[in-house]
Amino acid sequence: MLVLLPPSEGKAAGGSGAPLKPESLSLPGLAPARAAVLEELVELCAGDELKAREVLGLSEGLRGEVAKNVELRSAVARPAGEIYTGVLYDALGLADLPAAARKRAQDALLVFSGLWGAVRITDRIPSYRCSMGVKLPGLGALGAYWRGPMASVLPEAAGEGLVLDLRSSAYAAAWKPKGEVAGRTATVRVLHSQVVDGVEKRSVVSHFNKATKGRLVRDLLLAGAAPASPAELVTALRDLGYVVEAEPPAKPGKAWSLDVVVTQIHH
């Protein structure tokens, strides 16, 4: 099982350790593209700060993120599983997973990134700021930029098993499973269900979406679940107590669509 995750806007900083070693990152086929993005991002942030903030979509209060990007090559690098924070990663709780579940996480989780393309949670990276929605002056929109490198690398990373796609739309733009891989891919949407005046209303709420996705992955890892197909994933999630509505693809080469319906978040 390969689980595709979005990164988090917020990232842990500080700590001690060696700086980034680009050659040590997983998916070495992405190395040339990573080097190009890193070079342009550092150059951008070392120049006109106002322009850099505009390109990166940063407010005045986040100007420190620009300075941080300038130091990416020399900054302390930590495992990506420690760098990414926020609602999804809080619910996933990598740090306190038992050893067996953590090993499964290391094998299964792939975090998409505007800067790195995609990394494993064991890959050591510095804290950075560069979302997939950024349009760099030289390389253009990163979602489109990454499609070529991803198309040549990700199918192999997907192997022959289930691909559980939990990415947000901006990160999903960087790689869309096709053909046979798409047929064993399941995308997940989290719907918050409320009864108002006796009528059920469903909506997509960011907090419920992120927290449920993190908890869902954690529960699969803890259970040692190994669904080999979207249909087996539906069964596994229902066995774990989730309310899941599944929609098989209408034609070959398309992914399954799963709706996980929640009324509240259980911590």
Side-chain angles (χ1 to χ4, degrees):
M1 178 172 66
L2 183 69
V3 182
L4 312 180
L5 295 175
S8 58
E9 284 293 326
K11 298 174 184 70
S16 59
L20 170 73
K21 294 180 180 178
E23 69 279 5
S24 72
L25 298 179
S26 303
L27 307 178
L30 298 179
R34 287 170 176 151
V37 179
L38 178 61
E39 181 176 358
E40 182 165 353
L41 181 63
V42 171
E43 183 179 338
L44 169 72
C45 293
D48 185 324
E49 183 201 285
L50 195 60
K51 179 183 177 183
R53 278 178 31 215
E54 183 180 337
V55 170
L56 296 175
L58 301 176
S59 65
E60 168 73 23
L62 292 173
R63 61 189 305 174
E65 299 291 299
V66 175
K68 188 165 68 174
N69 281 348
V70 176
E71 308 296 331
L72 284 172
R73 292 191 178 94
S74 58
V76 169
R78 297 165 58 186
E82 297 176 13
I83 289 289
Y84 295 115
T85 59
V87 176
L88 188 153
Y89 290 90
D90 284 348
L92 175 53
L94 289 170
D96 63 3
L97 282 174
R102 186 166 181 81
K103 176 63 168 65
R104 286 191 282 271
Q106 293 169 357
D107 294 338
L109 305 188
L110 198 62
V111 184
F112 274 61
S113 161
L115 174 52
W116 314 114
V119 293
R120 300 281 186 183
I121 61 170
T122 50
D123 285 334
R124 298 182 66 87
I125 58 174
S127 180
Y128 66 96
R129 191 65 173 244
C130 183
S131 73
M132 193 66 82
V134 163
K135 185 176 182 179
L136 291 175
L139 298 178
L142 290 177
Y145 171 79
W146 280 111
R147 282 177 203 149
M150 291 288 188
S152 63
V153 172
L154 264 292
E156 181 180 352
E160 299 180 355
L162 169 72
V163 178
L164 173 53
D165 190 352
L166 302 178
R167 297 172 296 167
S168 53
S169 58
Y171 290 88
W175 180 60
K176 185 177 181 181
K178 296 181 178 178
E180 180 268 335
V181 179
R184 48 188 168 85
T185 296
T187 62
V188 173
R189 179 175 64 165
V190 178
L191 297 178
H192 179 214
S193 173
Q194 288 180 298
V195 176
V196 180
D197 296 328
V199 178
E200 184 195 26
K201 294 186 177 181
R202 293 181 176 182
S203 59
V204 178
V205 181
S206 178
H207 174 80
F208 284 87
N209 178 56
K210 294 174 182 177
T212 300
K213 286 179 176 178
R215 189 166 57 91
L216 179 152
V217 174
R218 181 180 178 86
D219 287 347
L220 287 170
L221 294 170
L222 287 172
S229 67
E232 290 184 16
L233 173 65
V234 172
T235 299
L237 290 175
R238 287 174 177 166
D239 288 346
L240 289 167
Y242 289 90
V243 177
V244 182
E245 298 174 356
E247 185 178 331
K251 55 184 178 180
K254 300 292 184 181
W256 283 55
S257 297
L258 272 55
D259 282 346
V260 175
V261 183
V262 299
T263 55
Q264 58 183 340
I265 298 297
H266 302 285
H267 295 284

